[in-house]
């Protein structure tokens, strides 16, 4: 069978299943399957697939029909224009999380620090830490996760992107694996409430790791823990940069008020205009040592 007809059949098939981007999904699956660029499909639609390619492609389309995200099927996702290996032990990095990387880069100019020390909590695929290390060469990052399997993916991604010397990966919950002080604590923590979890698209609910998504009854359990426990791990003038869900701002403000440990609290909008993250500075008059 040639490229034109397999793409046509797969697109029809996925469209009938109600997927939002059936042609794109089919092209991405086929390009990975044939280890080629999508442009080739337009330049040479008459080329035929080998029997092995056809079998693999049909198998992948079948998995997609079952709702599995394309990134897990091909084992890869792009973040910050860098390639990341992904599997079902890690959250698929989302484009809106790039805004955390952007906010940090905007706040710190390379000349300001001899060495910028960053702690990332819940690194997953390593997307945020690897992107930061690729942009800031005077940075030392400690990236943690509670999941051993996720850390093994993150280590591979740091190596593949050539930044393994800047990041040390540690396993543990929240601040358990660290004793140092940092200029920045960054995290895209789980922030889905139990109720919202039931309404997630099936591709997310059934395939992405629950431990990367669920965060208590109102989805701010991780924010609370990081805000309440994080201050002693920040240096003077150190800042938190944390992603949150839409509609969690009021709850986050309450937690900050309760903690009384930070000032200069700023909410950061994502590309769609939603307040999606916040940054705050450790208060100097409150904490010593
Ligand atoms: C929403 S995912 C974010 C992954 C990645 N940073 C990203 O933005 O794509 C949250 C991550 O936090 C990890 N995690 C969950 N509970 C944790 C805990 N108590 N301590 C540290 N990491 C935790 C999960 O395993 C998961 O990898």
């Amino acid at each position: 069978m040639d490229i034109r007809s397999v793409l046509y059949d797969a697109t029809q098939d996925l469209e009938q299943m109600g997927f939002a981007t059936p042609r794109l999904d089919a092209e991405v699956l086929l390009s990975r399957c044939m280890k080629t660029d999508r442009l080739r499909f337009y330049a040479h639609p008459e080329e035929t697939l080998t029997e092995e390619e056809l079998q693999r492609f049909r198998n992948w389309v079948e998995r997609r029909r079952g709702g599995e995200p394309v990134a897990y099927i091909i084992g890869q996702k792009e973040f910050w224009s860098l390639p990341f290996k992904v599997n079902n032990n890690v959250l698929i990095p989302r484009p809106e999380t790039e805004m955390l990387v952007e906010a940090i880069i905007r706040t710190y100019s390379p000349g300001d620090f001899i060495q910028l020390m960053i702690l990332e909590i819940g690194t997953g695929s390593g997307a945020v830490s690897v992107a930061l290390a690729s942009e800031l060469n005077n940075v030392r990052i400690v990236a943690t996760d509670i999941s051993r399997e996720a850390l093994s993916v993150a280590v591979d991604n740091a190596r593949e992107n050539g930044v393994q010397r800047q990041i040390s990966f540690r396993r543990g919950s929240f601040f358990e694996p660290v004793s140092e002080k940092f200029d920045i604590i960054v995290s895209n923590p789980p922030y889905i409430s139990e109720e919202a979890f039931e309404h997630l698209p099936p591709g997310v609910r059934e395939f992405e790791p629950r431990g990367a998504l669920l965060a208590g009854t109102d989805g701010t359990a991780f924010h609370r823990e990081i805000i309440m426990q994080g201050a002693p791990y920040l240096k003077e003038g150190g800042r938190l940069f944390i992603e949150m869900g839409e509609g969690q701002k009021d709850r986050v403000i309450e937690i900050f008020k309760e903690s009384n440990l930070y000032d200069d609290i700023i909410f950061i909008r994502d590309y769609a205009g939603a307040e999606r993250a916040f940054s705050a500075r450790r208060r100097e008059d409150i904490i010593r040592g």
Side-chain angles (χ1 to χ4, degrees):
M1 275 181 93
D2 62 22
I3 288 172
R4 183 189 291 110
S5 36
V6 293
L7 273 181
Y8 178 81
D9 290 352
T11 305
Q12 293 287 103
D13 207 0
L14 296 176
E15 194 169 4
Q16 274 169 17
M17 298 291 296
F19 290 108
T21 53
R23 173 78 190 189
L24 178 66
D25 291 2
E27 285 188 13
V28 171
L29 291 175
L30 188 61
S31 66
R32 186 74 177 181
C33 184
M34 294 179 77
K35 301 186 177 67
T36 188
D37 202 272
R38 279 163 56 209
L39 282 179
R40 181 163 148 212
F41 304 155
Y42 294 90
H44 298 289
E46 75 293 344
E47 270 185 29
T48 54
L49 280 72
T50 65
E51 193 51 39
E52 196 191 334
E53 286 168 343
L54 190 59
Q55 280 310 320
R56 193 182 319 136
F57 182 63
R58 286 189 169 145
N59 174 275
W60 284 4
V61 171
E62 201 47 42
R63 283 170 64 182
R64 182 70 190 122
R65 279 170 56 93
E68 189 170 348
V70 170
Y72 286 153
I73 301 172
I74 66 170
Q76 200 180 42
K77 180 74 183 176
E78 194 173 280
F79 179 85
W80 200 257
S81 300
L82 299 170
F84 285 86
K85 163 184 159 178
V86 291
N87 61 31
N88 59 6
N89 292 309
V90 297
L91 186 94
I92 299 166
R94 304 294 203 266
E96 56 267 27
T97 302
E98 292 186 349
M99 155 242 27
L100 273 184
V101 177
E102 204 176 283
I104 291 173
I105 292 170
R106 237 188 298 120
T107 311
Y108 297 86
S109 34
D112 288 353
F113 292 83
I114 299 164
Q115 189 164 65
L116 191 62
M117 294 283 292
I118 300 183
L119 168 65
E120 186 191 7
I121 294 180
T123 194
S125 64
V128 171
S129 287
V130 169
L132 285 169
S134 77
E135 291 289 336
L136 304 163
N137 49 22
N138 63 339
V139 80
R140 278 279 312 137
I141 302 177
V142 174
T144 75
D145 206 288
I146 202 163
S147 155
R148 190 187 303 280
E149 294 77 15
L151 280 175
S152 138
V153 174
V155 167
D156 286 351
N157 282 324
R159 196 181 313 114
E160 282 301 306
N161 286 291
V163 293
Q164 72 275 26
R165 288 218 306 272
Q166 288 155 269
I167 310 175
S168 82
F169 292 97
R170 300 184 197 164
R171 180 164 173 255
S173 182
F174 293 106
F175 299 96
E176 205 178 72
V178 292
S179 52
E180 309 92 315
K181 284 181 184 285
F182 298 87
D183 299 293
I184 296 172
I185 297 173
V186 60
S187 184
N188 170 21
Y191 56 71
I192 308 292
S193 68
E194 279 155 19
E195 207 240 313
F197 184 79
E198 298 309 319
H199 303 290
L200 286 177
V204 179
R205 205 175 54 232
E206 289 162 24
F207 290 92
E208 301 209 54
R210 276 176 162 248
L213 296 165
L214 267 171
T217 44
D218 73 356
T220 58
F222 283 72
H223 303 90
R224 161 172 278 278
E225 190 70 18
I226 296 170
I227 292 169
M228 291 298 191
Q229 307 303 329
Y233 298 92
L234 283 171
K235 292 185 197 171
E236 252 186 75
R239 297 194 73 97
L240 300 175
F241 287 85
I242 316 283
E243 186 166 325
M244 64 176 192
E246 271 184 77
Q248 292 180 338
K249 181 180 176 180
D250 290 348
R251 188 74 197 101
V252 165
I253 290 173
E254 276 174 34
I255 300 171
F256 272 122
K257 277 194 189 139
E258 195 186 322
S259 85
N260 205 21
L261 295 169
Y262 304 83
D263 59 17
D264 196 24
I265 300 159
I266 297 163
F267 285 87
I268 305 162
R269 290 183 190 276
D270 65 17
Y271 306 132
E275 284 173 317
R276 170 70 67 184
F278 55 86
S279 173
R281 184 177 54 204
R282 192 191 97 162
R283 263 180 71 178
E284 292 318 317
D285 52 336
I286 295 290
I287 306 151
R288 291 277 166 252

PDB file of all heavy atoms in Angstrom, residues 91 93 97 120-125 128 144-147 150 172-174 188-190 211-212 222, ligand 1:
ATOM      1  N   LEU A  91       4.351  12.022  33.019  1.00  0.00           N
ATOM      2  CA  LEU A  91       3.376  12.909  32.387  1.00  0.00           C
ATOM      3  C   LEU A  91       3.947  13.369  31.038  1.00  0.00           C
ATOM      4  O   LEU A  91       5.155  13.604  30.937  1.00  0.00           O
ATOM      5  CB  LEU A  91       3.175  14.131  33.277  1.00  0.00           C
ATOM      6  CG  LEU A  91       2.073  15.087  32.814  1.00  0.00           C
ATOM      7  CD1 LEU A  91       0.767  14.733  33.520  1.00  0.00           C
ATOM      8  CD2 LEU A  91       2.410  16.546  33.115  1.00  0.00           C
ATOM      9  N   PRO A  93       4.939  16.093  28.747  1.00  0.00           N
ATOM     10  CA  PRO A  93       5.114  17.531  29.012  1.00  0.00           C
ATOM     11  C   PRO A  93       4.162  18.371  28.165  1.00  0.00           C
ATOM     12  O   PRO A  93       3.971  18.100  26.976  1.00  0.00           O
ATOM     13  CB  PRO A  93       6.574  17.807  28.640  1.00  0.00           C
ATOM     14  CG  PRO A  93       7.158  16.547  28.157  1.00  0.00           C
ATOM     15  CD  PRO A  93       6.160  15.454  28.252  1.00  0.00           C
ATOM     16  N   THR A  97       3.491  24.447  30.169  1.00  0.00           N
ATOM     17  CA  THR A  97       4.549  24.395  31.191  1.00  0.00           C
ATOM     18  C   THR A  97       5.813  25.137  30.728  1.00  0.00           C
ATOM     19  O   THR A  97       6.647  25.523  31.543  1.00  0.00           O
ATOM     20  CB  THR A  97       4.831  22.918  31.554  1.00  0.00           C
ATOM     21  OG1 THR A  97       3.601  22.352  32.019  1.00  0.00           O
ATOM     22  CG2 THR A  97       5.876  22.762  32.629  1.00  0.00           C
ATOM     23  N   GLU A 120      14.120  21.435  41.368  1.00  0.00           N
ATOM     24  CA  GLU A 120      12.824  21.118  40.758  1.00  0.00           C
ATOM     25  C   GLU A 120      12.194  19.955  41.514  1.00  0.00           C
ATOM     26  O   GLU A 120      12.805  18.891  41.672  1.00  0.00           O
ATOM     27  CB  GLU A 120      12.936  20.739  39.271  1.00  0.00           C
ATOM     28  CG  GLU A 120      11.527  20.574  38.712  1.00  0.00           C
ATOM     29  CD  GLU A 120      11.363  19.952  37.335  1.00  0.00           C
ATOM     30  OE1 GLU A 120      12.339  19.482  36.752  1.00  0.00           O
ATOM     31  OE2 GLU A 120      10.207  19.911  36.864  1.00  0.00           O
ATOM     32  N   ILE A 121      10.956  20.143  41.945  1.00  0.00           N
ATOM     33  CA  ILE A 121      10.241  19.070  42.638  1.00  0.00           C
ATOM     34  C   ILE A 121       9.261  18.424  41.657  1.00  0.00           C
ATOM     35  O   ILE A 121       8.445  19.108  41.049  1.00  0.00           O
ATOM     36  CB  ILE A 121       9.497  19.613  43.875  1.00  0.00           C
ATOM     37  CG1 ILE A 121      10.535  20.102  44.890  1.00  0.00           C
ATOM     38  CG2 ILE A 121       8.601  18.539  44.493  1.00  0.00           C
ATOM     39  CD1 ILE A 121       9.943  20.667  46.140  1.00  0.00           C
ATOM     40  N   GLY A 122       9.370  17.108  41.492  1.00  0.00           N
ATOM     41  CA  GLY A 122       8.468  16.377  40.584  1.00  0.00           C
ATOM     42  C   GLY A 122       8.865  16.577  39.131  1.00  0.00           C
ATOM     43  O   GLY A 122       8.100  17.091  38.323  1.00  0.00           O
ATOM     44  N   THR A 123      10.063  16.130  38.792  1.00  0.00           N
ATOM     45  CA  THR A 123      10.615  16.427  37.464  1.00  0.00           C
ATOM     46  C   THR A 123       9.986  15.605  36.333  1.00  0.00           C
ATOM     47  O   THR A 123      10.052  16.001  35.174  1.00  0.00           O
ATOM     48  CB  THR A 123      12.157  16.277  37.484  1.00  0.00           C
ATOM     49  OG1 THR A 123      12.714  16.877  36.319  1.00  0.00           O
ATOM     50  CG2 THR A 123      12.596  14.822  37.568  1.00  0.00           C
ATOM     51  N   GLY A 124       9.395  14.458  36.642  1.00  0.00           N
ATOM     52  CA  GLY A 124       8.760  13.641  35.597  1.00  0.00           C
ATOM     53  C   GLY A 124       9.752  13.270  34.513  1.00  0.00           C
ATOM     54  O   GLY A 124      10.805  12.690  34.780  1.00  0.00           O
ATOM     55  N   SER A 125       9.463  13.667  33.276  1.00  0.00           N
ATOM     56  CA  SER A 125      10.356  13.371  32.137  1.00  0.00           C
ATOM     57  C   SER A 125      11.633  14.206  32.190  1.00  0.00           C
ATOM     58  O   SER A 125      12.516  14.016  31.342  1.00  0.00           O
ATOM     59  CB  SER A 125       9.627  13.673  30.826  1.00  0.00           C
ATOM     60  OG  SER A 125       9.352  15.070  30.752  1.00  0.00           O
ATOM     61  N   VAL A 128      11.333  20.324  32.412  1.00  0.00           N
ATOM     62  CA  VAL A 128      11.610  21.683  32.900  1.00  0.00           C
ATOM     63  C   VAL A 128      13.103  21.841  33.208  1.00  0.00           C
ATOM     64  O   VAL A 128      13.746  22.802  32.767  1.00  0.00           O
ATOM     65  CB  VAL A 128      10.736  21.999  34.145  1.00  0.00           C
ATOM     66  CG1 VAL A 128      11.159  23.300  34.797  1.00  0.00           C
ATOM     67  CG2 VAL A 128       9.253  22.045  33.748  1.00  0.00           C
ATOM     68  N   THR A 144      14.056  16.321  41.525  1.00  0.00           N
ATOM     69  CA  THR A 144      13.584  15.176  42.317  1.00  0.00           C
ATOM     70  C   THR A 144      12.281  14.622  41.752  1.00  0.00           C
ATOM     71  O   THR A 144      11.559  15.302  41.021  1.00  0.00           O
ATOM     72  CB  THR A 144      13.295  15.594  43.782  1.00  0.00           C
ATOM     73  OG1 THR A 144      12.064  16.347  43.800  1.00  0.00           O
ATOM     74  CG2 THR A 144      14.412  16.431  44.361  1.00  0.00           C
ATOM     75  N   ASP A 145      12.006  13.400  42.118  1.00  0.00           N
ATOM     76  CA  ASP A 145      10.689  12.821  41.848  1.00  0.00           C
ATOM     77  C   ASP A 145      10.498  11.670  42.827  1.00  0.00           C
ATOM     78  O   ASP A 145      11.468  11.044  43.264  1.00  0.00           O
ATOM     79  CB  ASP A 145      10.562  12.312  40.401  1.00  0.00           C
ATOM     80  CG  ASP A 145       9.112  12.315  39.935  1.00  0.00           C
ATOM     81  OD1 ASP A 145       8.329  11.449  40.407  1.00  0.00           O
ATOM     82  OD2 ASP A 145       8.733  13.187  39.126  1.00  0.00           O
ATOM     83  N   ILE A 146       9.240  11.397  43.127  1.00  0.00           N
ATOM     84  CA  ILE A 146       8.937  10.284  44.026  1.00  0.00           C
ATOM     85  C   ILE A 146       8.986   8.962  43.264  1.00  0.00           C
ATOM     86  O   ILE A 146       9.130   7.894  43.858  1.00  0.00           O
ATOM     87  CB  ILE A 146       7.561  10.501  44.705  1.00  0.00           C
ATOM     88  CG1 ILE A 146       7.449   9.704  45.975  1.00  0.00           C
ATOM     89  CG2 ILE A 146       6.418  10.231  43.733  1.00  0.00           C
ATOM     90  CD1 ILE A 146       6.329  10.179  46.885  1.00  0.00           C
ATOM     91  N   SER A 147       8.889   9.056  41.938  1.00  0.00           N
ATOM     92  CA  SER A 147       8.827   7.840  41.112  1.00  0.00           C
ATOM     93  C   SER A 147      10.196   7.473  40.549  1.00  0.00           C
ATOM     94  O   SER A 147      10.794   8.235  39.800  1.00  0.00           O
ATOM     95  CB  SER A 147       7.814   8.056  39.976  1.00  0.00           C
ATOM     96  OG  SER A 147       8.104   7.224  38.883  1.00  0.00           O
ATOM     97  N   ALA A 150      10.034   7.323  36.745  1.00  0.00           N
ATOM     98  CA  ALA A 150      10.085   8.640  36.094  1.00  0.00           C
ATOM     99  C   ALA A 150      11.526   9.152  36.075  1.00  0.00           C
ATOM    100  O   ALA A 150      12.005   9.655  35.048  1.00  0.00           O
ATOM    101  CB  ALA A 150       9.177   9.631  36.839  1.00  0.00           C
ATOM    102  N   GLY A 172      12.672  10.984  46.013  1.00  0.00           N
ATOM    103  CA  GLY A 172      12.101  11.231  47.330  1.00  0.00           C
ATOM    104  C   GLY A 172      10.893  12.143  47.239  1.00  0.00           C
ATOM    105  O   GLY A 172      10.600  12.713  46.183  1.00  0.00           O
ATOM    106  N   SER A 173      10.226  12.270  48.384  1.00  0.00           N
ATOM    107  CA  SER A 173       9.009  13.066  48.435  1.00  0.00           C
ATOM    108  C   SER A 173       9.328  14.506  48.861  1.00  0.00           C
ATOM    109  O   SER A 173      10.059  14.718  49.841  1.00  0.00           O
ATOM    110  CB  SER A 173       8.048  12.421  49.436  1.00  0.00           C
ATOM    111  OG  SER A 173       6.843  13.149  49.483  1.00  0.00           O
ATOM    112  N   PHE A 174       8.818  15.462  48.121  1.00  0.00           N
ATOM    113  CA  PHE A 174       9.000  16.884  48.428  1.00  0.00           C
ATOM    114  C   PHE A 174      10.469  17.200  48.772  1.00  0.00           C
ATOM    115  O   PHE A 174      11.328  16.976  47.930  1.00  0.00           O
ATOM    116  CB  PHE A 174       8.031  17.324  49.533  1.00  0.00           C
ATOM    117  CG  PHE A 174       6.599  17.286  49.058  1.00  0.00           C
ATOM    118  CD1 PHE A 174       5.723  16.288  49.469  1.00  0.00           C
ATOM    119  CD2 PHE A 174       6.133  18.233  48.161  1.00  0.00           C
ATOM    120  CE1 PHE A 174       4.418  16.244  49.006  1.00  0.00           C
ATOM    121  CE2 PHE A 174       4.824  18.190  47.696  1.00  0.00           C
ATOM    122  CZ  PHE A 174       3.976  17.201  48.120  1.00  0.00           C
ATOM    123  N   ASN A 188       6.073  21.834  38.607  1.00  0.00           N
ATOM    124  CA  ASN A 188       4.756  21.668  37.996  1.00  0.00           C
ATOM    125  C   ASN A 188       4.165  20.464  38.725  1.00  0.00           C
ATOM    126  O   ASN A 188       4.296  19.336  38.283  1.00  0.00           O
ATOM    127  CB  ASN A 188       4.887  21.385  36.497  1.00  0.00           C
ATOM    128  CG  ASN A 188       3.551  20.970  35.882  1.00  0.00           C
ATOM    129  OD1 ASN A 188       2.491  21.248  36.442  1.00  0.00           O
ATOM    130  ND2 ASN A 188       3.598  20.293  34.750  1.00  0.00           N
ATOM    131  N   PRO A 189       3.573  20.692  39.898  1.00  0.00           N
ATOM    132  CA  PRO A 189       3.128  19.560  40.720  1.00  0.00           C
ATOM    133  C   PRO A 189       1.811  18.984  40.212  1.00  0.00           C
ATOM    134  O   PRO A 189       1.132  19.623  39.393  1.00  0.00           O
ATOM    135  CB  PRO A 189       2.934  20.219  42.085  1.00  0.00           C
ATOM    136  CG  PRO A 189       2.468  21.602  41.757  1.00  0.00           C
ATOM    137  CD  PRO A 189       3.166  21.990  40.481  1.00  0.00           C
ATOM    138  N   PRO A 190       1.426  17.812  40.691  1.00  0.00           N
ATOM    139  CA  PRO A 190       0.074  17.343  40.387  1.00  0.00           C
ATOM    140  C   PRO A 190      -0.919  18.390  40.907  1.00  0.00           C
ATOM    141  O   PRO A 190      -0.720  18.906  42.008  1.00  0.00           O
ATOM    142  CB  PRO A 190      -0.034  16.050  41.211  1.00  0.00           C
ATOM    143  CG  PRO A 190       1.387  15.629  41.472  1.00  0.00           C
ATOM    144  CD  PRO A 190       2.170  16.893  41.552  1.00  0.00           C
ATOM    145  N   GLY A 211      -0.330   9.402  39.766  1.00  0.00           N
ATOM    146  CA  GLY A 211       0.537  10.077  40.745  1.00  0.00           C
ATOM    147  C   GLY A 211       1.106  11.385  40.217  1.00  0.00           C
ATOM    148  O   GLY A 211       1.660  12.178  40.973  1.00  0.00           O
ATOM    149  N   ALA A 212       0.995  11.611  38.897  1.00  0.00           N
ATOM    150  CA  ALA A 212       1.473  12.867  38.315  1.00  0.00           C
ATOM    151  C   ALA A 212       0.335  13.867  38.181  1.00  0.00           C
ATOM    152  O   ALA A 212       0.550  15.018  37.818  1.00  0.00           O
ATOM    153  CB  ALA A 212       2.088  12.612  36.939  1.00  0.00           C
ATOM    154  N   PHE A 222      -0.362  19.867  46.864  1.00  0.00           N
ATOM    155  CA  PHE A 222       1.082  19.976  46.611  1.00  0.00           C
ATOM    156  C   PHE A 222       1.559  21.419  46.734  1.00  0.00           C
ATOM    157  O   PHE A 222       2.656  21.683  47.204  1.00  0.00           O
ATOM    158  CB  PHE A 222       1.434  19.417  45.222  1.00  0.00           C
ATOM    159  CG  PHE A 222       1.457  17.915  45.189  1.00  0.00           C
ATOM    160  CD1 PHE A 222       0.282  17.194  45.254  1.00  0.00           C
ATOM    161  CD2 PHE A 222       2.658  17.225  45.104  1.00  0.00           C
ATOM    162  CE1 PHE A 222       0.285  15.810  45.240  1.00  0.00           C
ATOM    163  CE2 PHE A 222       2.683  15.840  45.092  1.00  0.00           C
ATOM    164  CZ  PHE A 222       1.491  15.126  45.152  1.00  0.00           C
TER     165      PHE A 222
HETATM  166  C1  LIG B   1       2.445  17.012  36.917  1.00  0.00           C
HETATM  167  S1  LIG B   1       3.846  15.948  36.886  1.00  0.00           S
HETATM  168  C2  LIG B   1       5.059  17.060  36.238  1.00  0.00           C
HETATM  169  C3  LIG B   1       6.169  16.392  35.478  1.00  0.00           C
HETATM  170  C4  LIG B   1       7.115  17.372  34.763  1.00  0.00           C
HETATM  171  N1  LIG B   1       7.753  18.287  35.694  1.00  0.00           N
HETATM  172  C5  LIG B   1       6.375  18.170  33.692  1.00  0.00           C
HETATM  173  O1  LIG B   1       6.126  19.363  33.911  1.00  0.00           O
HETATM  174  O2  LIG B   1       6.056  17.604  32.645  1.00  0.00           O
HETATM  175  C6  LIG B   1       4.216  15.835  38.604  1.00  0.00           C
HETATM  176  C7  LIG B   1       5.388  14.925  39.006  1.00  0.00           C
HETATM  177  O3  LIG B   1       5.484  14.954  40.436  1.00  0.00           O
HETATM  178  C8  LIG B   1       5.844  13.667  40.898  1.00  0.00           C
HETATM  179  N2  LIG B   1       5.444  13.556  42.301  1.00  0.00           N
HETATM  180  C9  LIG B   1       4.244  13.167  42.797  1.00  0.00           C
HETATM  181  N3  LIG B   1       4.261  13.197  44.138  1.00  0.00           N
HETATM  182  C10 LIG B   1       5.498  13.649  44.506  1.00  0.00           C
HETATM  183  C11 LIG B   1       6.127  13.916  45.766  1.00  0.00           C
HETATM  184  N4  LIG B   1       5.473  13.728  46.920  1.00  0.00           N
HETATM  185  N5  LIG B   1       7.400  14.344  45.770  1.00  0.00           N
HETATM  186  C12 LIG B   1       8.067  14.543  44.600  1.00  0.00           C
HETATM  187  N6  LIG B   1       7.517  14.310  43.369  1.00  0.00           N
HETATM  188  C13 LIG B   1       6.259  13.867  43.334  1.00  0.00           C
HETATM  189  C14 LIG B   1       5.125  12.726  39.948  1.00  0.00           C
HETATM  190  O4  LIG B   1       5.746  11.447  39.956  1.00  0.00           O
HETATM  191  C15 LIG B   1       5.253  13.472  38.611  1.00  0.00           C
HETATM  192  O5  LIG B   1       6.392  13.050  37.904  1.00  0.00           O
END
